[in-house]
Amino acid sequence: SQKIEQNSEALNIQEGKTATLTCNYTNYSPAYLQWYRQDPGRGPVFLLLIRENEKEKRKERLKVTFDTTLKQSLFHITASQPADSATYLCASGRGGATNKLIFGTGTLLAVQP
Amino acid sequence: DVKVTQSSRYLVKRTGEKVFLECVQDMDHENMFWYRQDPGLGLRLIYFSYDVKMKEKGDIPEGYSVSREKKERFSLILESASTNQTSMYLCATGDSPTDTQYFGPGTRLTVL
């Protein structure tokens, strides 16, 4: 079955460093991947979308890559700040005519001051 | 900005009660979704709707039903609440063609 996998272990980094989160997909080829941020007790918030024909996308301190050979997306936050601490979810379309997304379980990022 | 609101942030109900969770959006999106989120399990799709009065089962529809009488409103119904339905419930709308989803703040439901 179609699957999105994210590292379930928390990522702890020092303020100012670059955080890199990984998203792997199996058993299908998504047309795009999306990244969301979720704070405790809140709904996810959309951050970025990258299509399969795009290698890289940037938005301020955020960068996303899409490697169709490795079946992987990397999500980078440069010059990380404690305010970036949150859970980051990766998602992709399920394909076909459906508008549904498959979500990964998310990776918790903790940026230490 | 897309606004998605949910009727309650916190709700406590007793086993066997009928529970209504309401979601309202103001962006005229066709698609609306109900998820539940549990630690370690991520977001699991319960039901979704792609038009008024249209609905489709998600991955875990058992014990739930939905209603979409108006485009802006999508309700989740727990016919007879059980303790294993204690969870965070999230409503979302979907924006075609990218399928980007916009989430409400969530309802933390506790069934005693």
Side-chain angles (χ1 to χ4, degrees):
Chain A
S1 61
Q2 299 166 349
K3 218 170 172 183
I4 289 265
E5 290 175 341
Q6 295 183 256
N7 192 342
S8 58
E9 288 185 21
L11 178 63
N12 291 286
I13 63 166
Q14 286 295 122
E15 183 175 6
K17 301 290 187 187
T18 296
T20 299
L21 286 69
T22 304
C23 173
N24 296 294
Y25 58 90
T26 54
N27 299 326
Y28 72 118
S29 297
Y32 53 80
L33 290 165
Q34 304 184 15
W35 285 88
Y36 292 76
R37 170 185 171 137
Q38 186 174 23
D39 292 288
R42 301 286 177 179
V45 175
F46 171 73
L47 296 174
L48 277 171
L49 176 149
I50 185 165
R51 300 180 194 283
E52 61 178 340
N53 60 352
E54 297 173 317
K55 294 284 184 218
E56 183 179 295
K57 201 92 169 268
R58 290 175 186 261
K59 179 182 174 184
E60 297 171 354
R61 294 185 295 111
L62 308 180
K63 184 178 89 172
V64 176
T65 62
F66 195 163
D67 189 325
T68 55
T69 303
L70 293 178
K71 292 184 177 258
Q72 183 180 83
S73 174
L74 298 179
F75 177 81
H76 306 272
I77 305 176
T78 57
S80 58
Q81 305 164 0
D84 295 325
S85 299
T87 296
Y88 292 86
L89 305 174
C90 176
S92 76
R94 296 191 185 200
T98 181
N99 301 107
K100 295 182 283 188
L101 296 178
I102 303 172
F103 282 89
T105 53
T107 299
L108 176 62
L109 171 66
V111 182
Q112 311 297 332
Chain B
D1 273 354
V2 177
K3 196 154 183 194
V4 182
T5 57
Q6 295 184 228
S7 47
S8 306
R9 288 302 314 277
Y10 300 94
L11 208 52
V12 180
K13 294 291 181 181
R14 298 229 171 253
T15 301
E17 280 192 78
K18 191 167 186 175
V19 181
F20 293 88
L21 303 181
E22 293 222 303
C23 175
V24 179
Q25 55 118 341
D26 68 356
M27 281 303 292
D28 204 36
H29 286 166
E30 302 288 341
N31 304 315
M32 295 187 76
F33 306 83
W34 274 107
Y35 295 89
R36 64 178 282 177
Q37 187 174 35
D38 300 286
L41 297 178
L43 284 165
R44 292 184 290 167
L45 182 64
I46 304 171
Y47 267 97
F48 95 104
S49 169
Y50 48 91
D51 202 352
V52 174
K53 297 194 188 294
M54 306 302 285
K55 60 187 179 187
E56 188 173 315
K57 291 180 181 178
D59 302 314
I60 51 161
E62 297 77 20
Y64 304 95
S65 62
V66 290
S67 171
R68 187 141 181 228
E69 296 295 320
K70 292 186 178 182
K71 189 174 186 179
E72 67 271 17
R73 191 178 296 267
F74 191 33
S75 301
L76 179 70
I77 302 147
L78 285 66
E79 297 291 342
S80 177
S82 63
T83 55
N84 63 12
Q85 292 180 309
T86 291
S87 186
M88 169 70 100
Y89 289 88
L90 288 158
C91 172
T93 72
D95 185 15
S96 300
T98 62
D99 303 329
T100 299
Q101 294 191 6
Y102 300 88
F103 287 81
T107 296
R108 173 77 62 188
L109 172 67
T110 301
V111 182
L112 301 175

